[in-house]
Amino acid sequence: MTSRPKRSAGLLLFRRTEPGLEVLLGHMGGPFFARRDAGAWTVPKGEYEEDEPAWEAARREFREELGLAPPDGEAVPLGEVRQSGGKIVTVWAVEADLDPAEVVPGTFTMQWPPNSGRTQEFPELDRVEWFGLDAAREVIVKAQSAFLDRLAEHSA
């Protein structure tokens, strides 16, 4: 029996500025990413079960990850990518502005340090920032850069 790959869905906010498009990315929280920049930024997203529509999961996860209501607006489907670990990520882009200072990230709990028997709580995303597309390509999880390319094509 083969297990189905995990699936995530998310919303990529974008805004138009004088220098060009900017996207809102989150830096993954927790000790594994604390000192990393490249490959440690992601579209706000999260896993969902097979019986939940991906669009609804994307909106739910936006609220859970950022602590804010997902913005209204036209949702531009950016398709899906398979990340190196096998997870399939589906993303929609929504044009909206958001002040990163208003974000109240959700948290997760894990044993830390490893094998210590102690659990600690960490933010899902420890910071959220706006990036121009070129800067975003340098820090985003590698497979997710395809979403940036698709957004650029849609907005051209």
Side-chain angles (χ1 to χ4, degrees):
M1 184 172 123
T2 60
S3 64
R4 295 179 47 87
K6 291 186 177 183
R7 300 186 73 86
S8 276
L11 298 181
L12 177 63
L13 296 195
F14 71 98
R15 65 184 182 186
R16 299 169 199 274
T17 66
E18 193 59 42
L21 285 181
E22 291 184 343
V23 293
L24 187 75
L25 300 179
H27 185 270
M28 291 182 271
F32 299 121
F33 299 101
R35 292 183 175 86
R36 289 183 50 197
D37 219 29
W41 292 81
T42 182
V43 172
K45 62 172 180 43
E47 292 182 9
Y48 65 99
E49 297 298 324
E50 212 173 311
D51 60 349
E52 182 180 18
W55 168 246
E56 289 178 20
R59 292 180 56 80
R60 174 182 53 75
E61 286 293 335
F62 186 91
R63 184 182 301 275
E64 287 179 16
E65 298 259 319
L66 302 181
L68 300 170
D72 293 324
E74 178 190 358
V76 178
L78 298 181
E80 61 184 36
V81 298
R82 183 181 293 269
Q83 295 186 162
S84 61
K87 182 183 288 183
I88 297 170
V89 180
T90 305
V91 167
W92 287 264
V94 177
E95 187 169 1
D97 205 351
L98 179 149
D99 180 354
E102 294 179 5
V103 169
V104 181
T107 60
F108 69 96
T109 303
M110 66 181 281
Q111 187 179 111
W112 192 258
N115 304 315
S116 66
R118 293 190 318 238
T119 57
Q120 291 189 44
E121 193 171 68
F122 299 97
E124 296 268 1
L125 300 173
D126 58 21
R127 49 192 198 275
V128 175
E129 293 178 23
W130 287 100
F131 289 89
L133 292 182
D134 289 341
R137 281 186 188 91
E138 293 178 18
V139 298
I140 197 167
V141 171
K142 189 172 184 167
Q144 293 180 26
S145 65
F147 297 132
L148 305 176
D149 297 338
R150 295 170 192 167
L151 176 62
E153 287 173 20
H154 169 79
S155 302

